[in-house]
């Protein structure tokens, strides 16, 4: 049985469709995400089953279609209607940030270069957190390759052929050997399996936290998980929940771009970056996204 759910959302005039498509086009082999023109197809685990999420963009709106292998729950239509604007960054009040800092000597030029910049989100907090763990201390290119192998070893595939990013339940039943064979280090394999089990056991109620966003509780709980540190938490809060105030001062690309923005002859340290970002709370993670855009042309 296949079920189809649909919804749509209006887009602001300054919406940056290309940013969203670029985020989901990172893997050149496109095993779980395909971008053709103004359309994104993404394989997701939805209520434990394979699904294909298709998002089509035009000048005024984005339309989503979720094709699910199986019958959806009664809550599924509302969940999809909440997911779409969150994934597109439409819940982020970037216009407030831009009004406040458009005349700032360093931030003003960043805003002028990328007006309307929002941070596209992963389809779920679990995807964002597991992606952050995958990308710890390696290049974006290496992390994308490792992510692809994680998707392949999880083995969840939609009936239309697209591979699906695994959910916590799928990851929790994998063993360390599975992940080591996919190229993960022992430490990362153990952390990912531990994460999956904690989510399944509701020790980490990631989906519940979407509605309430108890940042201090999230941080405290995640810091108690071996293998998860401050950078991983702040990145996951940004990509999974849309929280714009994480201090990503530990990110190498952020520090490299800040060095250029400040015109510093020497490398900028983590401490210097943390102190510089502190002035701009509650927008520190959004500023990091602008710095990523300066250095990479795209957000990792």
């Amino acid at each position: 049985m296949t079920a189809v759910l649909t919804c749509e959302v209006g887009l602001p005039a300054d919406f940056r469709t290309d940013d969203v498509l670029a985020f989901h086009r990172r893997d050149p082999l496109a095993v779980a995400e395909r971008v053709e023109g103004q359309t994104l197809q993404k394989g997701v685990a939805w209520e434990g089953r394979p699904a294909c999420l298709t998002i089509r963009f035009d000048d005024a709106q984005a339309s989503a279609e979720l094709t699910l292998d199986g019958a959806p729950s009664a809550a599924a239509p509302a969940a999809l209607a909440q997911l779409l604007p969150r994934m597109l960054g439409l819940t982020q009040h970037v216009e407030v940030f831009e009004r406040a800092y458009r005349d700032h000597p360093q931030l003003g030029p960043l805003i002028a270069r990328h007006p309307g910049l929002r941070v596209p989100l992963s389809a779920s907090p679990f995807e964002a957190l597991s992606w952050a763990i995958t990308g710890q201390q390696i290049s974006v290119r290496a992390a994308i390759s490792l992510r692809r192998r994680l998707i392949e070893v999880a083995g969840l595939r939609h009936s239309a052929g697209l591979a699906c990013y695994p959910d916590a339940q799928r990851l929790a039943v994998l063993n360390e050997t599975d992940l080591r064979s996919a190229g993960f280090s022992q430490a990362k394999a153990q952390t990912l399996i531990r994460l999956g089990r904690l989510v399944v056991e509701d020790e980490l109620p990631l989906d519940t936290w979407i509605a309430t966003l108890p940042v201090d509780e999230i941080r405290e709980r995640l810091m108690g998980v071996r293998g998860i540190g401050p950078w991983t938490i702040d990145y996951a809060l940004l990509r999974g929940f849309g929280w714009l105030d994480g201090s990503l001062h530990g990110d190498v690309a952020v520090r490299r771009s800040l060095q250029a923005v400040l015109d510093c002859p020497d490398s900028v340290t983590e401490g210097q970056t943390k102190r510089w970002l502190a002035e701009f709370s509650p927008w520190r993670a959004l500023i990091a996204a602008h710095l990523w855009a300066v250095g990479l042309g795209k957000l990792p």
Side-chain angles (χ1 to χ4, degrees), residues 62-230:
S63 304
E65 178 181 285
L66 183 77
T67 306
L68 177 66
D69 287 349
S73 71
L80 178 61
Q82 293 168 358
L83 171 66
L84 180 58
R86 190 171 70 247
M87 276 186 69
L88 303 184
L90 296 176
T91 60
Q92 301 164 26
H93 300 296
V94 301
E95 67 281 355
V96 177
F97 164 74
E98 294 186 357
R99 283 198 303 268
Y101 293 107
R102 62 165 58 105
D103 295 325
H104 188 276
Q106 285 90 37
L107 296 185
L110 294 182
I111 293 169
R113 188 179 299 185
H114 298 103
L117 187 145
R118 294 168 171 82
V119 180
L121 267 61
S122 299
S124 69
F126 179 78
E127 180 178 349
L129 184 52
S130 53
W131 161 243
I133 292 167
T134 299
Q136 289 171 347
Q137 298 181 330
I138 58 176
S139 69
V140 174
R141 183 176 180 179
I144 290 168
S145 177
L146 201 55
R147 175 183 185 270
R148 182 192 312 130
R149 295 199 292 273
L150 170 64
I151 292 168
E152 290 170 341
V153 78
L156 190 66
R157 189 170 293 274
H158 185 253
S159 56
L162 200 62
C164 301
Y165 195 92
D167 57 7
Q169 290 80 3
R170 195 78 174 187
L171 193 54
V173 299
L174 298 178
N175 57 47
E176 189 177 322
T177 302
D178 294 327
L179 293 180
R180 293 300 303 276
S181 68
F184 284 84
S185 67
Q186 181 180 24
K188 286 186 180 180
Q190 292 174 347
T191 300
L192 286 170
I193 293 169
R194 189 179 302 118
L195 171 66
R197 291 173 180 170
L198 288 171
V199 172
V200 169
E201 294 163 3
D202 208 32
E203 292 295 321
L204 295 174
L206 299 180
D207 292 338
T208 300
W209 284 337
I210 292 174
T212 58
L213 195 55
V215 171
D216 291 341
E217 180 184 358
I218 294 172
R219 189 180 298 282
E220 181 180 359
R221 295 269 200 103
L222 291 179
M223 282 297 292
V225 179
R226 192 183 326 131
I228 295 179

Side-chain angles (χ1 to χ4, degrees), residues 6-49:
T6 62
C7 71
E8 60 186 38
V9 64
L11 299 175
D14 65 354
F15 187 76
R16 300 166 60 91
T17 300
D18 287 348
D19 289 353
V20 176
L21 297 177
F23 177 60
H24 294 286
R25 199 168 44 220
R26 293 168 297 173
D27 185 353
L29 298 189
V31 299
E33 295 94 3
R34 295 174 187 158
V35 174
E36 295 183 2
Q38 297 292 96
T39 298
L40 161 69
Q41 287 186 303
K42 178 176 173 63
V44 297
W46 187 275
E47 298 176 342
R49 293 187 294 277

